[in-house]
């Protein structure tokens, strides 16, 4: 491929970018991490009425190793946070995170010792969905935002930082 | 079930110093005892035909830090007589300095997890319990969060996790994302 060591986008790279982004954004494989009522709303998005398959993201995988979109739906407790981190680390690159609902994004009404006040303190979230829980239309909108992020993507962004740690097994 | 004044007499005759009082609230009779005689009292309430409470409906605890009471903690046993449908409440009071009670596990096996929960959230230990570990909080959790002197928002446990950065180069995380 035309990916040079300098990390600069060349003619061939940009063409491959377009192809790769087109393929990726229309074939997202979500990993649902539903811990609360947002998970129920997520199910309805996947069902026939709202039909997430229209956006190519109907293949739900319950293994992080087969997915590229982490959908965190619900409040994350201090006991669940290490599990969530582990799941994120197991996902292969490239990967994206949607923080769905007030609880995952900010802790919501659960301002207590045991609830994480926003998963973005510890994980790189791409899209936040407001709502308690967000309506299916909002989830679809979030997915379209992820597709927008992917379409802006370039292979030259994937120059692995030498100093960073290897991905955990 | 005996009326409250008779329960008072029975308890006083049988346990003297360990017995504290009998109270009634909206038809619910509560026996208050000191923590050291809790197992004897429970055994009596289970085997004595006048009570015959064969079922431990609930086991929990209350922190009376600001409310006041016979001691700081009371462990509350809700007992049920399933033959007559009668209920009685036993409150065992324990101090902050030595929050230790005898386990009710030998009388009712359901006390196992209930006592683990009380231990986890209040730090009250139960001697004779087969496996007294935390049941809800993580194993390395340091405090007992339902104690009234534990702050609601915790002591920083919820923000004490490693931060995972994006694993692909810095360009990825630095670029701004704008949506119209």
């Amino acid at each position: 491929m035309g990916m040079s060591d300098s990390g600069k986008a060349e003619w061939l790279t940009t063409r491959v970018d377009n192809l790769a982004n087109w393929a990726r954004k229309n074939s997202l494989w979500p990993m649902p991490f539903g811990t609360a009522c947002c998970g129920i709303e997520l199910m309805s998005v996947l069902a026939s009425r709202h039909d997430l398959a229209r956006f190519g993201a109907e293949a739900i995988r319950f293994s992080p190793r087969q997915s590229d979109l982490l959908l965190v739906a619900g409040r994350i407790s201090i006991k669940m946070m290490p599990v969530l981190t582990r799941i994120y680390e197991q996902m292969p690159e490239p990967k994206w995170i949607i923080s769905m609902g007030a609880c995952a994004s900010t802790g919501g009404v659960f301002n207590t010792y045991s609830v994480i006040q926003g998963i973005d303190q510890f994980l790189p979230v791409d899209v936040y969905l407001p709502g308690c829980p967000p309506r299916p239309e909002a989830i679809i909108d979030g997915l379209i935002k992820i597709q927008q992020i992917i379409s802006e993507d370039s292979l030259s962004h994937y120059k692995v930082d030498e100093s960073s740690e290897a991905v955990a097994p | 079930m005996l009326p409250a004044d008779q329960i008072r007499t029975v308890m006083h005759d049988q346990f003297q110093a360990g017995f504290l009082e009998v109270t009634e609230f909206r038809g619910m009779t509560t026996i208050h005892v000191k923590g050291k005689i809790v197992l004897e009292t429970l055994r009596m309430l289970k085997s004595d035909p006048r009570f015959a409470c064969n079922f431990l409906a609930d086991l929990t605890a209350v922190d009376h830090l600001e409310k006041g009471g016979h001691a700081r903690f009371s462990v509350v046993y809700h007992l049920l007589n399933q033959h007559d449908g009668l209920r009685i409440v036993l409150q065992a009071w324990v101090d902050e300095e030595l929050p230790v009670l005898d386990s009710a596990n030998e009388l009712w096996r359901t006390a196992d997890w209930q006592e683990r929960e009380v231990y986890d959230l209040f730090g009250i230990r139960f001697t004779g319990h087969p496996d007294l570990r935390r049941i809800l909080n993580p194993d390395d959790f340091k405090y007992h969060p339902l104690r009234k002197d534990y702050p609601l928002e915790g002591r920083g446990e919820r923000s004490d996790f490693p931060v995972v950065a994006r694993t692909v180069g810095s360009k990825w995380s630095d670029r701004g994302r704008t949506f119209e």
Side-chain angles (χ1 to χ4, degrees), chain A residues 1-24:
Chain A
M1 286 205 292
M3 201 170 160
S4 67
D5 290 341
S6 67
K8 280 180 187 161
E10 293 173 356
W11 178 82
L12 182 60
T13 328
T14 54
R15 307 316 297 169
V16 176
D17 276 351
N18 288 348
L19 181 66
N21 293 345
W22 171 79
R24 278 175 183 159

Side-chain angles (χ1 to χ4, degrees), chain B residues 70-173:
Chain B
H70 297 286
R72 175 159 175 193
F73 301 108
S74 68
V75 179
V76 187
Y77 300 80
H78 287 254
L79 302 175
L80 171 63
N81 175 336
Q82 287 177 314
H83 310 293
D84 307 325
L86 297 172
R87 290 175 188 276
I88 198 161
V89 179
L90 177 74
Q91 283 202 33
W93 293 81
V94 284
D95 277 324
E96 190 182 353
E97 291 75 37
L98 194 65
V100 180
L101 281 175
D102 284 327
S103 171
N105 189 54
E106 61 175 83
L107 297 173
W108 295 282
R109 297 299 302 276
T110 185
D112 185 343
W113 282 15
Q114 309 260 27
E115 286 176 351
R116 278 179 64 186
E117 188 182 358
V118 169
Y119 164 71
D120 188 0
L121 299 175
F122 288 94
I124 298 168
R125 291 188 300 281
F126 293 88
T127 50
H129 190 283
D131 182 26
L132 196 64
R133 285 178 295 130
R134 287 185 182 272
I135 192 168
L136 296 171
N137 283 304
D139 290 336
D140 57 353
F141 200 77
K142 290 190 190 72
Y143 306 100
H144 300 289
L146 272 191
R147 289 189 173 192
K148 292 290 179 201
D149 51 6
Y150 181 81
L152 174 67
E153 290 164 18
R155 296 196 169 121
E157 296 88 352
R158 67 184 184 184
S159 47
D160 188 21
F161 290 97
V163 178
V164 181
R166 291 181 202 278
T167 40
V168 289
S170 56
K171 214 171 180 181
W172 172 274
S173 46

Side-chain angles (χ1 to χ4, degrees), chain B residues 2 6 11 17 38 50 68 72 75 92 111 117 132-133 173 175 177:
Chain B
L2 299 171
Q6 283 188 40
M11 289 297 297
V38 64
R50 290 172 295 184
R72 175 159 175 193
V75 179
E117 188 182 358
L132 196 64
R133 285 178 295 130
S173 46
R175 82 204 154 111
R177 285 171 181 160

